Amino acid sequence: MPKDKLKTVYVCTSCGEVSSRWMGRCPSCGEWNTLVEDIVREQKSKGLSSKATRGNSASGPVIAASKLKDISTTEERSRIITGISELDRVLGGGIVIGSVVLLGGEPGAGKSTLLLQLCGAVAKKVDVLYITGEESTRQIKLRALRLKVAQEDISLAAETDIDAICDLIQHMKPGLVIIDSIQTMNCADISSSSGSVSQVKECTARLLTVAKSNEIPTFIVGHVNKDGAIAGPKVMEHIVDTVLYFEGDKMLPYRVLRAVKNRYGSTNEIGMFDMTSAGLKVIENPSKLLLEGRPIGVSGNCVACTMEGSRPILSEVQALATKSGFGTPRRAASGFDFNRMNLLLAVLEKRAGFFMGNLDVYINIVGGLDLDETACDLSVCMAVVSSLLDKPVPDDMIAIGEVGLGGEVRNVVNLEIRLREAQRMGFTRAVIPKHSMRQLDYEEFSNMELLGVTYVKQAISLL
């Protein structure tokens, strides 16, 4: 019997383009250095299959179709409520039946911990099958004991053969499947090693087929590369229903769960967790946590409010403006866009009269949260000027507004929601765009002084 021929191809990890030779730039998506080597079996074209021939015969089509009106979409069958409020928020209200969720994150971020706690949370409702390719079942047992996870309805299996795993899923038909991780899975039909592009793509496709045909929700853990993206071909992210990223600095206890793709909900929501010795704990009030330890009466601090989906979150903006000891001043930003910072500094110099040409300026967002919304511009400007003048921003004041190149303070979306959150956290004064004041209900904010400003120079005069 002749052996199958193997050939070397180069696959783009960004778009999935396959090339017979290596190139520095992908001809399909234009990304640089994304073509990786892979070994696949050479398949000969066989023409029309016997199934296709039968499909055109008088006996009728092989597959069957259902009427759209006959498909059930009742709420009790469409989602599983996990009970972990932050996870349910990011998923759009719970786990959709038959969905495939890809979870990525840095090593040590807590992906396995989160999924094991998920197993314990839903085990009372459905049977759970946890497939591990990186650890033994004894190691999972030790972690479950530390996390105090219920163990009655959770089944464990240490296996890497994807065909055996699919057979086990179809035999057991559990209510939830966890695959940890996809890079350790292996398909016997492909000659390349585990973790290669072809292996990851084929294993994901087979798990997707089993999940959809049996309506079993499946969570797949994916490793990330040095750039922070999920390792493997980009087509893996295209075929799954939801892609989640679990982020967090190893030096900080806080973890943020983000959805970059979600077919069943918004991608703007985030979930916040606190990593403790007993596992991940839900942070119900992120604003209170991020503002804890805020210095009182110290210059260079101002509170901003950003919207993460439907949730307003207050965060502290710290700025330091000091005389530079070099010919070219240093500029650095942590948690804030560097180019946006330079733009705001230019506006302060041109429109407000504060010379920044010989100053080192540093911006820091406390708590590791990224403020990528323009509604935080006014807070950054006030924090910078506060540090420059060594004059503190009042502790009960919050600043909300977008700053334009003309020095004007422009309207922001969801201003009422932001002000409600600020009022709930005890702030009594708010600097907001003057154009937005006519849209507010003053009776609702009777305990808060609303200070409308038209230009950033007017906001600075309130210091």
Side-chain angles (χ1 to χ4, degrees), residues 138-150:
R138 185 180 297 273
Q139 290 173 314
I140 302 295
K141 169 76 172 182
L142 292 175
R143 185 187 294 120
L145 292 174
R146 177 172 59 85
L147 300 177
K148 298 180 181 179
V149 173

Side-chain angles (χ1 to χ4, degrees), residues 22 28 50 66 101 108 152 156 209 221 259 281 295-296 313 356 375-376 395 401 417 434 446:
W22 185 88
S28 178
S50 57
S66 302
V101 180
E152 288 77 11
L156 295 179
T209 302
V221 175
K281 291 186 177 180
I296 304 300
I313 298 179
M356 301 287 179
C376 305
D395 299 323
I417 299 177
K434 191 173 183 179
S446 58

Side-chain angles (χ1 to χ4, degrees), residues 2-298:
K3 295 183 178 179
D4 294 335
K5 293 183 179 180
L6 303 179
K7 67 175 182 178
T8 300
V9 296
Y10 296 88
V11 183
C12 177
T13 58
S14 179
C15 66
E17 176 75 13
V18 179
S19 174
S20 59
R21 61 186 181 87
W22 185 88
M23 290 177 284
R25 186 178 185 182
C26 175
S28 178
C29 64
E31 295 290 333
W32 289 91
N33 298 323
T34 56
L35 292 177
V36 296
E37 183 180 356
D38 196 13
I39 300 176
V40 296
R41 274 195 181 91
E42 188 174 4
Q43 297 180 350
K44 298 180 180 179
S45 59
K46 298 180 180 179
L48 293 175
S49 64
S50 57
K51 290 185 178 181
T53 305
R54 289 197 305 270
N56 296 328
S57 64
S59 60
V62 177
I63 62 174
S66 302
K67 293 288 186 181
L68 182 61
K69 65 178 182 179
D70 298 333
I71 299 175
S72 173
T73 58
T74 55
E75 186 64 27
E76 55 270 15
R77 274 295 298 164
S78 61
R79 291 184 185 268
I80 301 173
I81 306 301
T82 67
I84 305 176
S85 58
E86 296 298 288
L87 179 60
D88 288 335
R89 174 194 295 272
V90 177
L91 290 174
I95 305 173
V96 177
I97 299 296
S99 64
V100 179
V101 180
L102 179 61
L103 176 63
E106 295 286 342
K111 302 184 296 297
S112 299
T113 301
L114 175 64
L115 292 180
L116 191 56
Q117 290 184 235
L118 169 64
C119 294
V122 303
K124 297 180 181 179
K125 302 177 182 179
V126 296
D127 294 332
V128 179
L129 176 61
Y130 193 110
I131 306 293
T132 175
E134 300 178 346
E135 302 174 276
S136 65
T137 54
R138 185 180 297 273
Q139 290 173 314
I140 302 295
K141 169 76 172 182
L142 292 175
R143 185 187 294 120
L145 292 174
R146 177 172 59 85
L147 300 177
K148 298 180 181 179
V149 173
Q151 305 170 24
E152 288 77 11
D153 298 315
I154 301 177
S155 302
L156 295 179
E159 182 59 60
T160 58
D161 186 5
I162 195 64
D163 292 328
I165 292 172
C166 291
D167 291 341
L168 178 62
I169 295 173
Q170 290 181 333
H171 174 71
M172 292 184 60
K173 287 186 169 51
L176 177 67
V177 174
I178 307 293
I179 305 294
D180 188 9
S181 64
I182 191 63
Q183 274 77 19
T184 60
M185 299 296 120
N186 178 66
C187 179
D189 296 336
I190 299 176
S191 58
S192 57
S193 59
S194 301
S196 63
V197 171
S198 55
Q199 284 281 2
V200 169
K201 185 169 63 174
E202 180 64 23
C203 292
T204 305
R206 297 196 181 190
L207 289 172
L208 180 72
T209 302
V210 174
K212 297 298 183 183
S213 60
N214 296 277
E215 292 192 336
I216 300 175
T218 303
F219 278 75
I220 301 175
V221 175
H223 295 168
V224 296
N225 53 30
K226 61 182 180 180
D227 296 327
I230 296 179
K234 202 68 176 179
V235 292
M236 181 176 64
E237 298 185 32
H238 293 322
I239 63 177
V240 299
D241 301 308
T242 305
V243 180
L244 305 180
Y245 276 89
F246 204 44
E247 307 169 354
D249 192 338
K250 291 183 180 179
M251 306 305 295
L252 296 174
Y254 313 131
R255 300 290 187 268
V256 178
L257 183 66
R258 298 180 184 273
V260 297
K261 174 188 176 181
N262 192 355
R263 288 174 177 163
Y264 313 112
S266 172
T267 57
N268 296 322
E269 301 287 354
I270 69 168
M272 296 194 68
F273 298 86
D274 186 11
M275 177 64 81
T276 66
S277 58
L280 291 164
K281 291 186 177 180
V282 171
I283 299 177
E284 299 287 354
N285 192 351
S287 299
K288 181 180 178 181
L289 181 68
L290 294 174
L291 294 180
E292 282 183 351
R294 185 165 63 100
I296 304 300
V298 178

